[in-house]
Amino acid sequence: QVQLVESGGGLVQAGDSLTLSCAASGRTFSNYAMGWFRQAPGKEREFVTRITWSGGSSYYADSVKGRFTISRDNAKNTVYLQMNSLKAEDTAVYYCAADQTYSDLTQARRRYIEVWGQGTLVTVSS
């Protein structure tokens, strides 16, 4: 099983860009589909995006489509979340997730996700 460590969070202004990274330990990273979720204060954790083990396919929540891009580098055991045109409502703790079943990386099935990172805080000031 992999272990995940997120980084790259911080305080930015609305309209800015930020890139999050999620580094995975273990030699089986390429076996896992990866995803990003976020949790705002007082709200439940919500799906943001996911990517297949090969990086060939990805899917986004409507709220971030066209602004966020997920990518992965299997040689570096890292998945990225490029966030552009940030809005105040993007403020949340962002969690990296890994699962060998791509379809588990969804809002409805998040309870089945195998591995979670510890989260990194993104604060967008308006």
Side-chain angles (χ1 to χ4, degrees):
Q1 195 175 50
V2 297
Q3 293 182 323
L4 307 174
V5 178
E6 301 96 332
S7 62
L11 173 63
V12 297
Q13 293 186 335
D16 284 352
S17 297
L18 196 64
T19 299
L20 306 182
S21 299
C22 173
S25 62
R27 289 178 284 182
T28 60
F29 175 72
S30 60
N31 291 345
Y32 287 82
M34 301 296 296
W36 288 94
F37 289 72
R38 66 186 182 185
Q39 188 165 15
K43 296 187 177 181
E44 67 176 7
R45 193 170 300 188
E46 66 173 3
F47 167 79
V48 176
T49 180
R50 65 178 183 263
I51 190 168
T52 55
W53 67 270
S54 67
S57 181
S58 58
Y59 186 81
Y60 298 87
D62 287 343
S63 59
V64 305
K65 199 174 297 182
R67 300 189 298 121
F68 289 13
T69 302
I70 189 171
S71 62
R72 66 188 294 163
D73 185 337
N74 286 344
K76 295 183 177 180
N77 282 11
T78 302
V79 63
Y80 304 96
L81 182 64
Q82 172 69 42
M83 304 184 292
N84 298 327
S85 303
L86 282 161
K87 305 175 182 180
E89 52 263 43
D90 294 319
T91 295
V93 177
Y94 283 72
Y95 296 91
C96 181
D99 200 290
Q100 295 181 74
T101 303
Y102 180 64
S103 59
D104 277 350
L105 292 165
T106 64
Q107 184 72 9
R109 294 186 63 82
R110 65 191 187 278
R111 71 177 72 89
Y112 302 112
I113 290 174
E114 295 176 49
V115 185
W116 291 95
Q118 84 290 347
T120 185
L121 176 63
V122 174
T123 303
V124 184
S125 64
S126 58

